[in-house]
Amino acid sequence: AKLGVWDLLRKGLLSLCGEHSIMSEGKDADTQLEPVFIRESEDVYRNPTEVKMSQIVMPCHANHCGELSAGQLLKWMDSTACLSGVFPKRIMCVCVSSVGNVVNIIAKVNRAFTSSMEVGILVNCEDLYADTQWNVCHAFATFVARRTEAGKVQLKQVTPRTQMEQMEYSLAAERRRMRLIHADIITDLLSKCQEYQDAVPAERTRVESVELVLPPHTNHQVSTFGGQIMAWMENVATIAASRLCNAHPTLRTIDMFHFRAPSHIGDRLVLKAIVNNAFKHSMEVGVCAEAYQGGEPLRHINSAFMTFEVLDSDRKPRTLPRIRPVPVDGKRRYQEAIARKKIRLDRKYIISSKQTEVPLSVPWDPSNQMYLSYNNVSALKLMDTRNNWVLTSEKNKVRLYTLEENHMLCFKVQMHVSVPAEQTFHLLSDLRRRKEWDQHYEECELISQADEDDTLYRVATPCVSKGGKGQDFILLASRRKPCDDRDPYLIALRSVTLPTHPPTEDYTRGEVLCGGFTIWEESSFVTKITYYNQATPGVLPYISTDIAGLSSSFYSAFSACSHYLEANKDSMTVL
């Protein structure tokens, strides 16, 4: 199959993990693209929310290149997700199918919240003649239930059955958190507008089109299919992009596809598009959809930001002309496009890249805080869902487990304490007090309180060999309270780099890739604490003798932790 629309999902993020999103009606409706783990199970068990759809790509579904059009794929994804429980919001593409191939779409509910749910969508293509299959798109979609006459709907909760379902269930809460604070990041990133003398006026790219909503365009609730609206929006965005480059552009990412209100049979949809900004090899097109009937005023029902490229004969991106924004509102869109590009690059670097391709310590600044925090918490949640840990040693009910996977050694220490979970969470969250029970924490300095949930610390540890130097770590500590009683309290730790705290001659700079605590409430007064860590070179010296069975210092440290929690269980730590 030729590359096309679905390159956008992998090369862009929400490649919402990469870089893209499709959204539904309601405040929490938001989709993101990231690897979704939906596979055929070899067991008898099958997730009851799973829905499958298969379609043959016909000539009427293709674009000018003979590839499956992005709009048609969006319509199919929307229909499948709707049957499982949602409308897509954010999307990212990898590659498309050609005429004659079969497109298979699988959707299932990962998690239900109070009135919204996340659905994972997997799209693959199948060549019936060559008997081959390949992945096209992974996406997450969020659907918000409509209010009834009795008030807000309370959705039935999903119970994960397999390890894979448990992992997606756990990560869904963190993805939801990212979506809800995305707008704040844009505000922080707006920069000065740079104009170019030979730039193309943005006004030249403006497109406006009107569509009439007919019965075939609506769903069983007599609202216009989200996929149909997305297809219409993709069409006008492509025309706007074509006017800048005077060629056929290729859609790469769809960012922040937000359904704000429904439309119905008889509505006229006014679809507007304009190029917000053009970079060296890509351009961002802003699209909005407004609805009206008769003489009523326009209702804003949808908006999206789509990124296009123009490929040359070798399928490589062509250099694009610069854009000159229209006065006033155009300059704001121009600046916001720069901010969104920065977000996509940060997200791709921090979240989408494979673990082996990303340095242990990633530079921290306010613009990438959300993604570092997401990565930090998600890594700990993934470690917590693994079930192949090996018990290495146990002493007085303090247990040490190890896990060797993909050439990476991980360990965890587990124990129970007679302290309420919430109080345990507060006491362990403040790393400044960890030296009261952990002999490896010689010093701990609070560098800055980024927000209520994210804190930066500098930790110094003693030397483990004669004549050597101690180590220090710059750590991002991300705290999370449970969404419901099936979630633990979390304290996730990972290394970051700060220009204000470079390595010094007095210490060797160590790095933590993933570490932290999960805290489960087993009863009102009994809490299960599990400490996790990936044994990076900076961490391994402190635990190697325990893993080898030559000592039990882990027991001493966590016994001291238990005594510390017991002694302070009637106090409240305030960060």
Side-chain angles (χ1 to χ4, degrees):
K2 298 178 182 178
L3 291 177
V5 151
W6 295 103
D7 271 334
L8 89 111
L9 292 182
R10 183 173 236 159
K11 295 184 178 179
L13 163 250
L14 231 177
S15 134
L16 177 189
C17 249
E19 330 251 311
H20 334 327
S21 157
I22 300 181
M23 199 165 159
S24 171
E25 184 182 326
K27 177 181 178 181
D28 188 38
D30 192 31
T31 301
Q32 307 189 3
L33 298 168
E34 177 178 343
V36 157
F37 300 95
I38 305 176
R39 297 190 179 97
E40 276 293 333
S41 174
E42 296 178 359
D43 303 324
V44 176
Y45 166 74
R46 176 176 172 179
N47 189 301
T49 68
E50 184 177 291
V51 173
K52 298 181 181 181
M53 174 187 287
S54 295
Q55 297 280 356
I56 294 179
V57 180
M58 305 296 288
C60 61
H61 303 141
N63 59 19
H64 64 280
C65 295
E67 303 167 347
L68 173 63
S69 73
Q72 182 60 58
L73 183 53
L74 290 171
K75 290 168 69 174
W76 286 340
M77 290 175 67
D78 173 58
S79 298
T80 311
C82 182
L83 292 173
S84 183
V86 325
F87 290 71
K89 173 199 170 186
R90 181 174 302 208
I91 278 199
M92 187 174 82
C93 306
V94 179
C95 73
V96 270
S97 171
S98 300
V99 172
N101 291 333
V102 173
V103 174
N104 301 306
I105 304 172
I106 303 174
K108 69 176 179 180
V109 176
N110 289 333
R111 182 165 184 168
F113 300 96
T114 303
S115 60
S116 68
M117 68 182 80
E118 178 188 279
V119 171
I121 307 169
L122 171 63
V123 181
N124 66 43
C125 282
E126 180 180 359
D127 188 325
L128 298 177
Y129 298 97
D131 193 25
T132 57
Q133 291 190 13
W134 59 96
N135 287 338
V136 168
C137 169
H138 296 103
F140 293 116
T142 303
F143 178 73
V144 178
R146 292 183 174 182
R147 291 178 178 270
T148 65
E149 294 181 358
K152 201 169 185 178
V153 175
Q154 177 71 45
L155 296 178
K156 182 179 179 180
Q157 297 304 298
V158 174
T159 302
R161 292 275 300 276
T162 66
Q163 181 182 357
M164 197 75 71
E165 289 178 1
Q166 177 59 50
M167 178 179 65
E168 290 303 330
Y169 177 92
S170 182
L171 294 179
E174 194 62 16
R175 287 189 288 262
R176 178 175 181 265
R177 183 179 184 275
M178 280 187 67
R179 294 191 294 268
L180 294 178
I181 62 176
H182 183 274
D184 296 335
I185 304 301
I186 288 288
T187 302
D188 293 338
L189 280 178
L190 292 182
S191 58
K192 292 184 178 180
C193 174
Q194 180 182 3
E195 296 189 14
Y196 296 84
Q197 297 299 322
D198 58 347
V200 175
E203 189 63 33
R204 184 185 300 175
T205 69
R206 189 182 297 276
V207 177
E208 184 171 320
S209 180
V210 179
E211 299 284 353
L212 174 63
V213 179
L214 300 172
H217 301 143
T218 60
N219 59 25
H220 61 287
Q221 294 179 330
V222 201
S223 296
T224 313
F225 273 117
Q228 179 62 68
I229 297 175
M230 288 185 272
W232 284 334
M233 294 176 72
E234 186 266 339
N235 181 60
V236 294
T238 300
I239 296 172
S242 300
R243 289 182 175 175
L244 176 68
C245 61
N246 296 320
H248 292 298
T250 299
L251 179 62
R252 287 304 182 203
T253 67
I254 304 173
D255 199 8
M256 296 310 298
F257 219 138
H258 188 170
F259 285 80
R260 302 173 182 274
S263 67
H264 306 284
I265 294 174
D267 276 348
R268 274 69 170 174
L269 296 192
V270 180
L271 306 155
K272 301 176 182 179
I274 191 171
V275 175
N276 290 333
N277 204 335
F279 307 99
K280 184 176 182 180
H281 292 134
S282 65
M283 70 184 92
E284 180 191 278
V285 179
V287 197
C288 75
E290 299 173 320
Y292 72 93
Q293 283 199 18
E296 67 179 26
L298 291 171
R299 311 187 312 271
H300 186 187
I301 64 168
N302 201 308
S303 59
F305 303 99
M306 302 185 185
T307 303
F308 291 84
E309 292 177 350
V310 178
L311 304 180
D312 59 21
S313 58
D314 295 324
R315 306 292 293 179
K316 294 182 179 179
R318 223 174 66 184
T319 301
L320 299 174
R322 306 299 304 197
I323 199 82
R324 184 168 68 249
V326 297
V328 190
D329 196 45
K331 290 188 176 182
R332 174 187 59 79
R333 294 196 302 268
Y334 184 98
Q335 293 174 305
E336 289 179 349
I338 296 173
R340 279 186 289 272
K341 183 179 180 183
K342 170 71 165 57
I343 285 176
R344 287 194 296 272
L345 292 175
D346 282 345
R347 190 163 45 198
K348 182 177 181 180
Y349 177 66
I350 296 170
I351 298 176
S352 302
S353 299
K354 294 179 181 178
Q355 195 174 78
T356 55
E357 298 173 351
V358 179
L360 298 187
S361 295
V362 177
W364 183 94
D365 63 57
S367 69
N368 69 10
Q369 175 190 338
M370 178 172 70
Y371 310 109
L372 274 173
S373 181
Y374 169 85
N375 178 271
N376 192 13
V377 173
S378 297
L380 183 61
K381 286 187 172 186
L382 288 173
M383 210 182 301
D384 186 51
T385 58
R386 292 175 179 166
N387 57 13
N388 50 342
W389 293 92
V390 176
L391 179 62
T392 300
S393 55
E394 179 178 4
K395 186 175 180 180
N396 293 345
K397 297 184 179 180
V398 179
R399 299 177 177 181
L400 174 65
Y401 297 83
T402 57
L403 172 64
E404 196 167 353
E405 195 171 79
N406 298 327
H407 306 291
M408 178 73 73
L409 176 66
C410 305
F411 66 89
K412 72 175 182 179
V413 181
Q414 194 171 83
M415 68 177 182
H416 288 78
V417 295
S418 299
V419 180
E422 184 175 9
Q423 181 65 1
T424 299
F425 171 67
H426 283 294
L427 289 169
L428 294 180
S429 291
D430 189 351
L431 298 193
R432 293 170 298 181
R433 300 194 64 180
R434 186 160 165 177
K435 61 184 180 182
E436 295 181 35
W437 59 269
D438 189 345
Q439 60 181 343
H440 297 141
Y441 269 54
E442 198 170 60
E443 300 175 25
C444 185
E445 167 197 356
L446 191 154
I447 298 174
S448 68
Q449 185 81 47
D451 58 29
E452 182 182 354
D453 296 319
D454 294 317
T455 310
L456 294 168
Y457 295 94
R458 176 187 172 272
V459 175
T461 62
C463 177
V464 293
S465 60
K466 292 183 179 180
K469 294 189 295 185
Q471 293 191 101
D472 68 347
F473 301 80
I474 306 299
L475 298 179
L476 169 65
S478 302
R479 316 184 321 152
R480 296 290 186 274
K481 293 182 179 180
C483 290
D484 55 44
D485 57 9
R486 287 174 292 179
D487 284 325
Y489 290 89
L490 290 171
I491 305 165
L493 307 172
R494 71 154 297 149
S495 287
V496 295
T497 57
L498 287 173
T500 56
H501 289 73
T504 64
E505 294 183 357
D506 298 331
Y507 291 91
T508 300
R509 179 58 51 87
E511 295 179 305
V512 173
L513 180 60
C514 175
F517 296 88
T518 63
I519 301 166
W520 290 91
E521 181 180 50
E522 297 204 339
S523 71
S524 300
F525 299 101
V526 177
T527 298
K528 182 176 74 174
I529 301 173
T530 306
Y531 174 74
Y532 293 92
N533 208 308
Q534 289 189 347
T536 56
V539 173
L540 190 57
Y542 301 102
I543 195 70
S544 57
T545 55
D546 291 306
I547 292 175
L550 301 177
S551 72
S552 57
S553 62
F554 78 94
Y555 167 74
S556 300
F558 282 85
S559 291
C561 177
S562 179
H563 294 316
Y564 160 75
L565 295 172
E566 291 277 359
N568 292 277
K569 65 181 179 181
D570 294 326
S571 65
M572 180 62 74
T573 302
V574 179
L575 295 182

